[in-house]
Amino acid sequence: MSAEEQSSAVVLQGLVKSYGPVRAVTGVDLQIRHGETVALLGPNGAGKTTTIDMMLGLTKPDTGSVSLFGQLPRAAVARGAVGGMLQNGTLLRDLTVRELVAMVGGLYPDPLSVDDVLRITDTVDIADRRTQKLSGGQAQRVRFAMALVSNPELLILDEPTASLDVGSRREFWGVMRRSAALGKTVVFATHYLEEADLYADRVVVMTRGRIVADGPATEIKARVGRKNIRATLADVGIDSLRELPGVVGAERRGESILLRCVDSDQALRLLLSRYPAASDIEVTGVGLEEAFIEITEGPDSSLTSGEDH
Amino acid sequence: MRRAIAFTGYELLRSFRNTRFFIFTLVFPLILFYTVAGSNRHAELGGVKFPVYYMVGMASWGAMTAVMSGGARISLERSAGWTRQMRITPLSTSVYFGSKVVAGYLMAIVSLILLFGAGISLGVRLSAAQWLEATGLLLVGLIPFVIMGILLGHLLSADSMGPALGGVVGVFALLGGAWGPLGQTGTLHRIVVNIPSYWLVQAGHVALGSGAWPLRGWVVIAVWTLVILRLTVVIYRRDTAKI
């Protein structure tokens, strides 16, 4: 074992996985240090779930290796070092929340007390309710309680808020933060940029089965969280628009202009003060999908041309 | 071991809370027994007193359903993503399957006790040794069916499980003579003596004083058990490799 593997919570090396002709993961290398909270951000079909399944030992990679705390996933799972929340999982019915958490905790060598877990996950008031009678947000917190009950060092969550409304989503992350504060390493998959930005120290962007960006949340947000400004503005050279602060690309289509911005607020202020004739102004967010594709294909080609997409 | 027992305890709790299932598995055979055996109390069937034959027939049917449903629940847990969730815990496959087998058998025992009680209420009288022997043979004869439940649990989707379970148990009950004997000679008889449910129903023959199964009964149960076990292992491997 290398020193690297020993000091890391997660080491993925050269992971490749295909399902028949579909290449789900095409070469993923990733290291996650102890105590980091990492978001795996990407559109549907990017390979996030397959990567997480390989991390948890549920899926065997075609090539490459997974090491959790220097161990194989099965071994790390068996000693209770890993808690996982899978996508689309439901709860076992005919048990109460307390019974279910106790049942799962009972499988581990050194679990947290059920009361502590219920308290941390904000499920005390529904502890005696049968699992089939929970709302979506409640069920998700119970699933989180099951992931937490072994008192794992590493939490792996696959799109934990995908099916929740905004309120439940915020509640869930509140609970999550409390447990991350316990010093755990957290990896979560999401396709919401806001979630990655708000709750992760580090964001790993995946698309088409590989990692295309990896860095602090703020940096990733600047790269993918772009907005477009559209306006009607005749007789202004496209080059001078491209030089506006906050603008990274500009195009003209007849009388209308399109500005691709990293900071649309700043760009818009300057646009209006320098070119008061600009009208029909529209500011739209760039879809994550589009932003990811731009990252994949390199910033230079996408930022300047734009027409080929 | 302590952990395995605790886990199995929760599985039992779940089985007994599933009231719909409880009613269908336990009450149907009872109703059928009282209506049919009640009006034929003094007749003879298949060489034994009618209530004895029918008691064991209905007990076999109910116990087959109960014991298979243990494993059949796996299909529901698979489609709900629960088996995957369990695979990221230290729970071993043997404890998981073990809990289904124990829950299935416990339900089967409840079903047997109810049917035996019903039999006694209609005048069935056996010696203590005969009760024990009949029960023992029934429990052994259920082994291929408990494994078959696990097989179906991995083979079928949760949607198709209800009708499939009813159909499979129905065919075995019918061919085994649980709902009435199929005749003691002829081609059909030569076929059904190779089916495990036939020997389940024959457990009632202890009342004749003819003792337990002949060698053929033990061989049929053993061969079915081994074949179904092998098939289940193959299907289970295919299923978990896919997930």
Side-chain angles (χ1 to χ4, degrees), chain A residues 53 56 58-59 74 77-78 84 86 88-96 99-100 102-104 106-109 130 143 146, chain B residues 3 6-7 10-11 13-15 17-18 20 73 76-77 79-82 84-91 95 240 242-243:
Chain A
D53 284 354
L56 287 165
L58 284 170
T59 298
R74 282 306 318 165
V77 162
L86 304 171
N88 306 324
T90 53
L91 300 167
L92 206 56
R93 46 177 296 139
D94 294 322
L95 289 177
T96 65
E99 286 162 351
L100 185 70
M103 182 189 94
V104 175
L107 299 170
Y108 289 96
R130 296 276 171 91
R143 296 183 62 228
M146 297 193 310
Chain B
R3 279 185 233 159
F7 183 78
Y10 285 110
E11 182 65 26
L13 194 60
R14 291 185 56 225
S15 311
R17 276 183 186 164
N18 191 338
R20 269 173 310 171
R73 291 154 70 108
L76 204 69
E77 291 172 18
S79 62
W82 182 257
R84 271 166 65 83
Q85 182 71 38
M86 286 293 96
R87 282 175 63 205
I88 54 170
T89 71
L91 179 70
V95 172
T240 48
K242 191 173 54 193
I243 290 178

Side-chain angles (χ1 to χ4, degrees), chain A residues 18-262:
Chain A
S18 300
Y19 294 103
V22 183
R23 303 183 70 205
V25 171
T26 57
V28 163
D29 293 276
L30 182 64
Q31 277 188 38
I32 295 169
R33 288 185 304 279
H34 287 280
E36 265 188 310
T37 298
V38 177
L40 217 49
L41 178 68
N44 290 327
K48 305 188 297 291
T49 295
T50 307
T51 303
I52 279 182
D53 284 354
M54 288 190 281
M55 250 189 237
L56 287 165
L58 284 170
T59 298
K60 211 169 122 58
D62 296 337
T63 57
S65 67
V66 178
S67 153
L68 307 180
F69 309 105
Q71 289 179 303
L72 287 174
R74 282 306 318 165
V77 162
R79 72 177 172 86
V82 185
M85 230 175 116
L86 304 171
Q87 216 180 335
N88 306 324
T90 53
L91 300 167
L92 206 56
R93 46 177 296 139
D94 294 322
L95 289 177
T96 65
V97 169
R98 178 186 297 280
E99 286 162 351
L100 185 70
V101 174
M103 182 189 94
V104 175
L107 299 170
Y108 289 96
D110 190 19
L112 291 172
S113 88
V114 174
D115 286 324
D116 283 347
V117 175
L118 295 178
R119 196 168 36 73
I120 298 170
T121 56
D122 200 10
T123 46
V124 176
D125 51 329
I126 52 166
D128 296 316
R129 202 174 295 177
R130 296 276 171 91
T131 53
Q132 61 264 37
K133 293 182 177 153
L134 302 175
S135 73
Q138 290 169 335
Q140 210 63 346
R141 292 208 299 280
V142 173
R143 296 183 62 228
F144 185 61
M146 297 193 310
L148 205 62
V149 70
S150 70
N151 196 14
E153 297 159 61
L154 170 65
L155 278 168
I156 300 179
L157 319 171
D158 192 0
E159 298 200 11
T161 60
S163 55
L164 302 184
D165 58 53
V166 179
S168 311
R169 199 177 290 166
R170 197 175 305 126
E171 240 170 18
F172 178 85
W173 285 110
V175 164
M176 237 296 294
R177 270 199 161 159
R178 254 181 277 168
S179 62
L182 304 172
K184 298 184 188 309
T185 309
V186 180
V187 181
F188 68 89
T190 180
H191 53 244
Y192 300 114
L193 176 62
E194 310 88 273
E195 278 190 355
D197 180 38
L198 281 172
Y199 305 109
D201 313 325
R202 176 179 164 200
V203 180
V204 173
V205 183
M206 280 189 80
T207 165
R208 297 177 190 173
R210 58 196 187 87
I211 293 173
V212 291
D214 180 352
T218 45
E219 190 183 293
I220 298 297
K221 193 183 177 190
R223 286 184 69 182
V224 299
R226 269 191 262 125
K227 291 202 169 128
N228 288 342
I229 297 175
R230 277 171 210 279
T232 305
L233 179 62
D235 307 326
V236 174
I238 201 75
D239 286 329
S240 52
L241 289 174
R242 197 171 287 149
E243 279 155 19
L244 286 174
V247 173
V248 290
E251 291 163 36
R252 170 173 292 287
R253 285 169 191 158
E255 294 222 324
S256 68
I257 54 162
L258 171 69
L259 307 179
R260 297 170 184 274
C261 311
V262 285

Side-chain angles (χ1 to χ4, degrees), chain B residues 41 53 73 107:
Chain B
R41 291 179 72 154
Y53 184 99
R73 291 154 70 108
M107 294 290 284

Side-chain angles (χ1 to χ4, degrees), chain A residues 277-292:
Chain A
S279 59
D280 303 327
I281 296 167
E282 234 178 80
V283 181
T284 50
V286 176
L288 259 195
E289 196 103 15
E290 194 184 327
F292 290 142

Side-chain angles (χ1 to χ4, degrees), chain B residues 122-184:
Chain B
L122 287 190
V124 173
R125 293 291 176 268
L126 299 177
S127 71
Q130 285 172 325
W131 280 120
L132 280 178
E133 197 172 343
T135 307
L137 289 176
L138 281 166
L139 294 183
V140 172
L142 289 172
I143 295 173
F145 294 101
V146 77
I147 307 170
M148 208 184 291
I150 294 174
L151 176 66
L152 291 183
H154 283 98
L155 215 51
L156 300 176
S157 71
D159 293 339
S160 54
M161 186 48 82
L165 194 64
V168 169
V169 175
V171 168
F172 275 103
L174 183 70
L175 292 178
W179 293 330
L182 295 177
Q184 299 298 309

